Coordinates of all heavy atoms in Angstrom, one line a residue:
Chain K
V237 N 16.1 93.8 182.7 CA 16.4 95.1 183.3 C 16.2 95.1 184.8 O 15.1 95.0 185.3 CB 15.5 96.2 182.7 CG1 15.9 97.6 183.3 CG2 15.7 96.3 181.2
L238 N 17.3 95.1 185.5 CA 17.2 95.2 187.0 C 16.7 96.5 187.4 O 15.9 96.6 188.4 CB 18.6 95.0 187.6 CG 19.2 93.6 187.3 CD1 20.7 93.6 187.8 CD2 18.5 92.5 188.0
R239 N 17.1 97.6 186.7 CA 16.6 98.9 187.1 C 17.0 99.9 185.9 O 18.0 99.7 185.3 CB 17.2 99.4 188.4 CG 16.9 100.7 188.8 CD 15.5 100.9 189.4 NE 15.3 100.3 190.7 CZ 14.5 99.3 191.0 NH1 13.7 98.8 190.0 NH2 14.4 98.8 192.2
L240 N 16.1 100.8 185.6 CA 16.5 102.0 184.8 C 17.0 103.0 185.8 O 16.3 103.3 186.8 CB 15.3 102.6 184.1 CG 14.6 101.7 183.0 CD1 13.5 102.5 182.4 CD2 15.6 101.3 181.9
L241 N 18.2 103.4 185.6 CA 18.8 104.3 186.6 C 19.1 105.7 185.9 O 19.6 105.7 184.8 CB 20.1 103.7 187.1 CG 20.9 104.4 188.2 CD1 20.1 104.7 189.4 CD2 22.2 103.6 188.5
N242 N 18.9 106.7 186.6 CA 19.2 108.0 186.0 C 20.7 108.3 185.9 O 21.4 108.0 186.9 CB 18.5 109.2 186.8 CG 17.0 109.2 186.7 OD1 16.5 108.7 185.6 ND2 16.3 109.6 187.7
E243 N 21.1 108.8 184.8 CA 22.5 108.9 184.5 C 23.3 109.7 185.6 O 24.3 109.3 186.1 CB 22.8 109.5 183.1 CG 22.5 108.4 182.0 CD 22.3 109.0 180.7 OE1 22.5 110.2 180.5 OE2 21.8 108.3 179.8
P244 N 22.8 110.9 186.0 CA 23.5 111.6 187.0 C 23.6 110.9 188.3 O 24.6 111.0 189.0 CB 22.7 112.9 187.1 CG 21.6 112.9 186.2 CD 21.6 111.6 185.4
T245 N 22.5 110.2 188.7 CA 22.5 109.4 189.9 C 23.6 108.3 189.8 O 24.3 108.1 190.8 CB 21.1 108.8 190.2 OG1 20.1 109.7 190.0 CG2 21.0 108.2 191.6
A246 N 23.7 107.7 188.7 CA 24.8 106.7 188.5 C 26.1 107.3 188.7 O 27.0 106.8 189.4 CB 24.6 106.0 187.1
A247 N 26.3 108.5 188.1 CA 27.6 109.2 188.3 C 27.9 109.5 189.7 O 29.0 109.4 190.2 CB 27.6 110.5 187.4
A248 N 26.8 109.9 190.4 CA 27.0 110.2 191.8 C 27.5 109.0 192.6 O 28.3 109.1 193.5 CB 25.7 110.8 192.4
V249 N 26.9 107.9 192.3 CA 27.3 106.6 192.9 C 28.8 106.4 192.7 O 29.5 106.1 193.7 CB 26.5 105.4 192.4 CG1 27.0 104.1 192.9 CG2 25.0 105.6 192.9
A250 N 29.2 106.5 191.5 CA 30.6 106.2 191.2 C 31.5 107.2 192.0 O 32.5 106.8 192.5 CB 30.9 106.4 189.7
Y251 N 31.1 108.5 192.0 CA 31.9 109.4 192.7 C 31.8 109.3 194.2 O 32.8 109.3 195.0 CB 31.5 110.9 192.3 CG 32.5 111.5 191.3 CD1 32.2 111.4 190.0 CD2 33.6 112.1 191.7 CE1 33.0 111.9 189.0 CE2 34.5 112.6 190.8 CZ 34.2 112.5 189.4 OH 35.0 113.0 188.5
G252 N 30.6 109.1 194.7 CA 30.3 109.1 196.1 C 31.0 107.9 196.8 O 31.6 108.1 197.9
L253 N 31.0 106.8 196.2 CA 31.6 105.6 196.8 C 33.1 105.8 196.8 O 33.7 105.5 197.8 CB 31.2 104.4 196.0 CG 29.8 103.9 196.2 CD1 29.7 102.5 195.5 CD2 29.5 103.7 197.6
D254 N 33.6 106.3 195.7 CA 35.0 106.5 195.6 C 35.5 107.4 196.7 O 36.6 107.2 197.2 CB 35.2 107.2 194.3 CG 36.6 106.9 193.7 OD1 37.0 105.7 193.9 OD2 37.2 107.7 193.1
R255 N 34.8 108.4 197.1 CA 35.3 109.4 198.0 C 34.7 109.4 199.3 O 34.9 110.3 200.1 CB 35.1 110.8 197.3 CG 35.7 110.9 196.0 CD 35.2 112.2 195.3 NE 36.2 112.5 194.3 CZ 36.9 113.6 194.4 NH1 36.8 114.5 195.4 NH2 37.8 113.9 193.5
Q256 N 33.8 108.5 199.6 CA 33.1 108.4 200.8 C 32.5 109.8 201.1 O 32.5 110.3 202.3 CB 34.1 108.1 202.0 CG 34.8 106.7 201.8 CD 33.8 105.6 202.1 OE1 33.1 105.6 203.1 NE2 33.8 104.6 201.2
A257 N 31.9 110.4 200.1 CA 31.5 111.8 200.2 C 30.2 111.9 201.0 O 29.4 111.0 201.1 CB 31.2 112.3 198.8
E258 N 30.0 113.0 201.7 CA 28.8 113.4 202.4 C 28.5 114.9 202.0 O 29.5 115.6 201.7 CB 29.0 113.4 203.9 CG 29.4 112.1 204.5 CD 28.1 111.3 205.0 OE1 27.4 111.9 205.8 OE2 27.9 110.2 204.5
G259 N 27.3 115.2 202.0 CA 27.0 116.6 201.6 C 26.1 116.7 200.4 O 25.5 115.7 200.0
V260 N 26.0 117.9 199.9 CA 25.1 118.2 198.7 C 26.0 118.3 197.4 O 27.0 119.0 197.4 CB 24.3 119.5 198.9 CG1 23.4 119.6 197.7 CG2 23.5 119.4 200.1
V261 N 25.7 117.5 196.4 CA 26.5 117.4 195.2 C 25.6 117.7 194.0 O 24.5 117.3 193.9 CB 27.0 115.9 195.1 CG1 27.8 115.7 193.8 CG2 27.7 115.5 196.3
A262 N 26.2 118.5 193.1 CA 25.6 118.8 191.8 C 26.2 118.0 190.7 O 27.5 117.9 190.7 CB 25.6 120.3 191.5
I263 N 25.4 117.3 189.9 CA 26.0 116.5 188.8 C 25.6 117.2 187.5 O 24.4 117.3 187.2 CB 25.4 115.0 188.8 CG1 25.5 114.4 190.2 CG2 26.1 114.2 187.8 CD1 26.8 113.9 190.6
Y264 N 26.6 117.6 186.8 CA 26.3 118.3 185.5 C 26.7 117.3 184.4 O 27.9 117.0 184.3 CB 27.2 119.6 185.4 CG 27.0 120.4 184.2 CD1 26.2 121.5 184.2 CD2 27.7 120.1 183.0 CE1 26.1 122.3 183.0 CE2 27.6 120.9 181.9 CZ 26.8 122.0 181.9 OH 26.6 122.8 180.7
D265 N 25.7 116.9 183.7 CA 25.9 115.8 182.7 C 25.5 116.2 181.3 O 24.4 116.3 180.9 CB 25.1 114.6 183.2 CG 25.2 113.4 182.2 OD1 25.9 113.5 181.2 OD2 24.6 112.3 182.5
L266 N 26.5 116.6 180.5 CA 26.3 117.0 179.1 C 26.9 115.9 178.2 O 28.1 115.8 178.0 CB 27.0 118.4 178.9 CG 26.6 119.0 177.6 CD1 25.1 119.3 177.4 CD2 27.4 120.3 177.4
G267 N 26.0 115.2 177.6 CA 26.4 114.1 176.7 C 26.3 114.6 175.3 O 26.3 115.7 174.9
G268 N 26.2 113.6 174.4 CA 26.1 113.9 173.0 C 24.8 114.5 172.6 O 24.8 115.4 171.7
G269 N 23.7 114.1 173.2 CA 22.4 114.6 172.8 C 21.5 115.0 173.9 O 20.4 115.5 173.6
T270 N 21.9 114.8 175.1 CA 21.0 115.1 176.2 C 21.8 115.9 177.3 O 23.0 115.7 177.5 CB 20.4 113.9 176.9 OG1 21.4 113.0 177.3 CG2 19.4 113.2 175.9
F271 N 21.1 116.7 178.0 CA 21.7 117.4 179.2 C 20.9 117.1 180.4 O 19.6 117.2 180.4 CB 21.8 118.9 178.9 CG 22.1 119.7 180.2 CD1 23.3 119.5 180.8 CD2 21.1 120.5 180.8 CE1 23.6 120.2 181.9 CE2 21.4 121.1 182.0 CZ 22.7 121.0 182.5
D272 N 21.6 116.8 181.5 CA 20.9 116.6 182.8 C 21.6 117.3 183.9 O 22.9 117.4 183.9 CB 21.0 115.1 183.2 CG 19.9 114.3 182.7 OD1 18.8 114.8 182.5 OD2 20.2 113.1 182.4
I273 N 20.9 117.8 184.9 CA 21.5 118.4 186.1 C 20.7 117.7 187.2 O 19.5 117.7 187.2 CB 21.4 119.9 186.1 CG1 21.9 120.4 187.5 CG2 20.0 120.4 185.8 CD1 23.4 120.4 187.7

Side-chain angles (χ1 to χ4, degrees):
Chain K
V237 179
L238 297 170
R239 178 74 71 241
L240 294 180
L241 180 60
N242 290 332
E243 286 160 10
T245 311
V249 168
Y251 261 93
L253 284 189
D254 208 38
R255 301 167 157 251
Q256 300 285 313
E258 298 265 305
V260 182
V261 180
I263 313 282
Y264 181 99
D265 179 357
L266 188 61
T270 56
F271 167 68
D272 272 331
I273 172 75

